[in-house]
Amino acid sequence: METNPPISIKLINNRGFIFNANDYMTLRRKHRIAAVLMGCCVNNPRNTSIGGLPAVLSQIELKFLLERQLVTLEDNSLLKHAPIEETVQKYRDFTEKQYQEQKTILKEKRVQEVEQNLQQIIRGKKKKMLKSGVKEENIDLDEDQIFQEEIQKIPQLTKEYLLVQTPKEHPWPRDDYPLRLHESAFTPRESLKYRIFADLYDRGYFLTSGSTFGGDFLLYPGDPILFHASHVVHVLLDHRVDSRHFTACNRLCVGVKKSCVFALEDSSGKIIYYTSRWDAEFRPE
């Protein structure tokens, strides 16, 4: 059985971030964790309806992935300190390589432009010579010579005009990053939410935050990109629920065509679910 290495999660201000596109797709396709894309789309940065990297994990998602040993945490606190000399040299070599590559690409592009416009350049030179009084029968322009002259005019790329790549993650592995487990104090309700999240995950659902519909979780039968949520899950710390809250939850679910689920834990620690739905119209007496 093929096993993938744990995904590296960047820990920033006690929140887990994913900057690598392949890691994000592995997390989504293989592990059914959607996370939240909080960056902008590279191809359309002004479109705020489409998210891009980085992706940020909720505290529950992060705790779940750590306990399942699907991810490891990378503490980037050492980035606050000056890099070691070896890393500095790697950066210099990397920058020099980029500079040489861009010089070559720029020259090749300019040479191609000269080749495409060579006949137009020759006509322009001939016209200029005619205007200066040179007779046409005395004009002898060497195409190869003109081509070489135009090539010599191509300016060299200087480093001040170098296109600088901004990496979305550290470009070289660093052994001086300490890995540590994430420790977070959950309230009793958050601990219950975590256990319910894990239980529903093991039943094969995709889960995301349910805050947009007033719940704790949204359940999806498949990837949220392809499916609408089928259930809104409300976590109850005990068996009691206020009647107005119960009505509000159900009425909202009816309006958005989703099933309303109340999840709680019984005295034996077993998680139980109650699904409610509106079967008839309300008719006041």
Side-chain angles (χ1 to χ4, degrees), residues 39-152:
C40 63
C41 179
V42 176
N43 295 330
N44 193 1
R46 295 183 182 275
N47 189 342
T48 57
S49 63
I50 302 176
L53 292 175
V56 61
L57 296 162
S58 69
Q59 295 293 312
I60 288 176
E61 289 172 331
L62 184 56
K63 178 179 173 66
F64 176 81
L65 290 168
L66 284 168
E67 290 197 353
R68 299 290 174 104
Q69 297 182 346
L70 299 174
V71 301
T72 56
L73 284 182
E74 200 173 272
D75 188 346
N76 290 343
S77 59
L78 287 181
L79 289 176
K80 299 176 183 178
H81 306 292
I84 59 178
E85 184 58 34
E86 182 183 356
T87 303
V88 172
Q89 188 58 46
K90 283 182 179 179
Y91 174 75
R92 288 171 179 162
D93 294 342
F94 175 72
T95 305
E96 180 62 27
K97 181 182 177 183
Q98 282 192 317
Y99 173 61
Q100 296 300 332
E101 288 175 349
Q102 290 185 33
K103 278 179 61 177
T104 302
I105 292 172
L106 177 62
K107 186 168 183 179
E108 289 176 352
K109 185 177 179 181
R110 293 294 176 85
V111 168
Q112 186 179 10
E113 290 175 353
V114 171
E115 289 176 340
Q116 291 174 348
N117 299 305
L118 184 58
Q119 296 305 318
Q120 185 176 348
I121 294 171
I122 292 173
R123 287 195 296 270
K125 287 182 176 293
K126 185 176 180 180
K127 186 176 181 180
K128 188 174 181 180
M129 294 175 71
L130 289 171
K131 281 187 176 181
S132 65
V134 180
K135 294 182 178 181
E136 186 172 359
E137 59 268 18
N138 295 330
I139 296 175
D140 183 19
L141 298 175
D142 188 313
E143 186 173 313
D144 291 335
Q145 182 181 351
I146 294 174
F147 178 74
Q148 293 301 324
E149 289 174 353
E150 294 298 319
I151 295 299
Q152 293 299 321

